[in-house]
Amino acid sequence: AIGYVTNKGWLDPDPKVTFTKVLDGYHRLEGMLGGPPDKLIRIPEPNAAPADLDAFWSRFGAVKEAKDFDFSGIKNARGEALDPKLAAAIAASAIASRAPKDTVLAVTAAMQKHLDGIDAEQTAIVTARRDEQTAALKKNWGNNYESNMFDAKRTFAKWATAAGMDEAKATE
């Protein structure tokens, strides 16, 4: 310790001056590290014990149990809750990777928004195709469109019922 203090140029015949210089050096070091010792986090070695890694990542918001994730605020465009199996898979993955809870929720919400966009795009494609086919059918059938549609629906309902489908479902 004396050699370290001497190499730094802090050693003085007066112990009070030496102590003051050492303390000043410590304060400068604290300023460079960004905070007091109780606010500093030591990064564990890659081969550290799992308990040490858990303690480290818990300081950043990682959780240990799936029940600690609240996905209830994440809903799809129809207002439905996140699929429970998907939520369980996300929680298990987040726990295994020690991901911070807030990050997991933000990524899950962004993923749900992306899935809603895909769903909306697919719905638009299906709707456009249906409208295109209906227009072609109306053009093809002309003035007989309504009566032909009535006959087609009635025939489909009979076939569906004969195949064992519930009549209400077949009509739908």
Side-chain angles (χ1 to χ4, degrees):
I2 300 233
Y4 181 79
V5 172
T6 302
N7 288 338
K8 289 288 187 181
W10 295 340
L11 190 59
D12 192 273
D14 183 356
K16 289 180 182 178
V17 172
T18 300
F19 178 76
T20 302
K21 289 179 179 180
V22 169
L23 193 56
D24 286 344
Y26 175 77
H27 284 295
R28 281 194 309 277
L29 176 64
E30 257 188 358
M32 286 188 256
L33 292 175
D38 64 325
K39 299 293 182 189
L40 300 178
I41 299 175
R42 182 171 298 279
I43 299 173
E45 294 295 324
N47 61 349
D52 293 339
L53 291 169
D54 288 342
F56 173 76
W57 286 108
S58 70
R59 299 276 305 262
F60 293 102
V63 298
K64 292 182 182 178
E65 297 182 26
K67 69 176 179 64
D68 294 329
F69 288 105
D70 181 12
F71 294 109
S72 65
I74 301 172
K75 307 235 184 273
N76 65 18
R78 294 179 302 278
E80 300 165 341
L82 191 65
D83 177 77
K85 289 181 182 178
L86 178 59
I90 291 170
S93 178
I95 290 167
S97 62
R98 296 182 178 97
K101 179 174 150 181
D102 292 342
T103 301
V104 172
L105 295 176
V107 168
T108 303
M111 182 187 67
Q112 182 60 61
K113 186 176 180 180
H114 176 74
L115 293 174
D116 286 341
I118 291 172
D119 189 39
E121 183 179 332
Q122 289 175 344
T123 300
I125 291 169
V126 167
T127 301
R129 180 73 176 137
R130 184 197 65 219
D131 292 348
E132 178 184 301
Q133 290 174 343
T134 301
L137 193 59
K138 282 182 179 181
K139 182 180 178 184
N140 187 12
W141 284 352
N143 292 336
N144 296 327
Y145 176 77
E146 293 298 328
S147 64
N148 286 347
M149 279 302 289
F150 177 77
D151 289 340
K153 287 179 182 179
R154 187 176 56 183
T155 301
F156 176 80
K158 283 182 184 178
W159 288 346
T161 304
M165 184 181 282
D166 176 87
E167 186 176 339
K169 185 72 175 170
T171 304
E172 178 187 320

